[in-house]
């Protein structure tokens, strides 16, 4: 069971997510770092556990503003450069192709950013592509075909329950079970609501391959010792 820390980027800083209400996101305050600088936060997380992969939500790019390119470039030049799973609101053919060609970058195709299934249909077999099925408080956000046709899914699929993000309310186990049942041999990754070790163990028992985690790492409810035992 992999544990993948999340860095939500906005205005060049790491912000703390709150239930998908992006207008309320503010620069993170965490005992793991003296500042909200992306590299400082990533290094703080690595002092907690030797993470080899980080998930990056470039909130500015997702919402149509200038991407956090400088922050991403700095993260890529860290010592023992991590693999970066990056959701930057990609919705164009050329931009996705360019992202897939970059070493150390695994572009995340967020369903909320898609107009139709064309982009996913073209690139679904690329080993670097990750699909994020995005669920807000009002339900699935994106073309229905992305949710209803699992044959379109790439090898890795994130179930992003934004209403659970930063809530300490627990993962959306029911939805994860549904997606896992449809996914076949694909890897399903949980995102949103993980509170600690018990949630990680339950996700593992459901066949979930990994969990994207932020709040429980910064708040200390998922500890270094627990992650060592969990194999994260």
């Amino acid at each position: 069971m992999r544990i993948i820390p999340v860095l939500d980027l906005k205005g060049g800083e790491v912000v703390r997510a709150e239930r998908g209400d992006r207008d309320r996101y503010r620069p993170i305050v965490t005992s793991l770092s003296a500042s909200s600088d992306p590299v400082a936060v990533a290094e703080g997380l690595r002092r907690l556990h030797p993470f080899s992969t980080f998930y990056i939500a470039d909130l500015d790019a997702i919402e149509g503003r200038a991407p956090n390119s400088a922050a991403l470039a700095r993260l890529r030049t860290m010592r023992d450069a991590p693999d970066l799973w990056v959701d930057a609101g990609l919705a164009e053919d050329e931009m996705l192709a360019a992202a897939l060609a970059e070493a150390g970058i695994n572009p995340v195709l967020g369903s909320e950013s898609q107009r139709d299934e064309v982009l996913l249909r073209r690139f679904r077999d690329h080993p670097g592509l990750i699909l994020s099925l995005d669920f807000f408080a009002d339900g699935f956000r994106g073309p229905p075909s992305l949710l209803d046709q699992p044959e379109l899914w790439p090898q890795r699929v994130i179930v992003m329950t934004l209403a659970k993000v930063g809530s300490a309310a627990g993962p959306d186990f029911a939805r994860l079970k549904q997606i896992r049942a449809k996914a076949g041999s694909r890897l399903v990754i949980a995102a949103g609501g993980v509170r600690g070790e018990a949630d990680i163990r339950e996700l593992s028992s459901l066949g979930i391959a990994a969990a994207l985690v932020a709040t429980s790492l910064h708040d200390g409810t998922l500890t270094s010792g627990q992650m060592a035992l969990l194999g994260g």
Side-chain angles (χ1 to χ4, degrees), residues 81-215:
D83 289 327
L84 301 179
W85 295 8
V86 183
D87 185 346
L90 294 175
E92 303 296 334
D93 190 296
E94 291 184 3
M95 293 181 69
L96 179 55
L100 287 167
E102 290 194 56
I105 296 289
N106 289 267
V108 176
L109 200 64
S111 65
E112 68 164 303
S113 302
Q114 307 310 303
R115 296 181 296 271
D116 52 40
E117 66 190 55
V118 172
L119 204 57
L120 181 58
R121 189 177 291 278
R122 176 174 178 185
F123 290 98
R124 63 183 173 183
D125 293 328
H126 194 291
L129 184 66
I130 303 168
L131 172 65
S132 179
L133 299 173
D134 300 327
F135 296 88
F136 286 70
D138 58 356
F140 181 68
R141 189 77 58 86
S145 57
L146 270 60
L147 181 61
D148 298 337
Q149 298 183 48
E151 65 271 17
L152 296 176
W153 298 351
Q155 183 58 29
R156 290 174 289 182
V157 181
I158 296 168
V159 181
M160 177 69 71
T161 308
L162 283 152
K164 295 275 192 176
V165 169
S167 68
D172 191 343
F173 292 112
R175 178 171 286 129
L176 287 160
K177 287 180 184 178
Q178 293 170 358
I179 300 298
R180 183 70 192 86
K182 296 167 62 174
S185 62
R186 298 170 181 84
L187 302 179
V188 176
I189 298 104
V194 171
R195 295 164 292 193
E197 180 181 358
D199 285 341
I200 295 294
R201 291 192 182 281
E202 184 166 354
L203 290 170
S204 181
S205 73
L206 296 177
I208 302 302
L212 306 185
V213 180
T215 300

Side-chain angles (χ1 to χ4, degrees), residues 18-64:
E18 291 187 42
R19 300 177 185 268
D21 186 358
R22 292 170 180 156
D23 290 338
R24 298 177 59 188
Y25 291 11
R26 295 293 181 268
I28 196 165
V29 176
T30 171
S31 62
L32 302 179
S33 171
S35 75
S36 57
D37 174 77
V39 171
V41 175
E43 289 175 341
L45 286 161
R46 277 186 158 179
R47 286 191 291 273
L48 185 68
H49 188 77
F51 296 110
S52 61
T53 301
F54 288 87
Y55 171 91
I56 311 296
D58 187 336
L59 300 172
D60 292 309
I62 289 170
E63 296 186 337

Side-chain angles (χ1 to χ4, degrees), residues 209-226:
L212 306 185
V213 180
T215 300
S216 59
L217 295 174
H218 294 289
D219 291 352
T221 55
L222 188 59
T223 67
S224 177
Q226 289 170 334

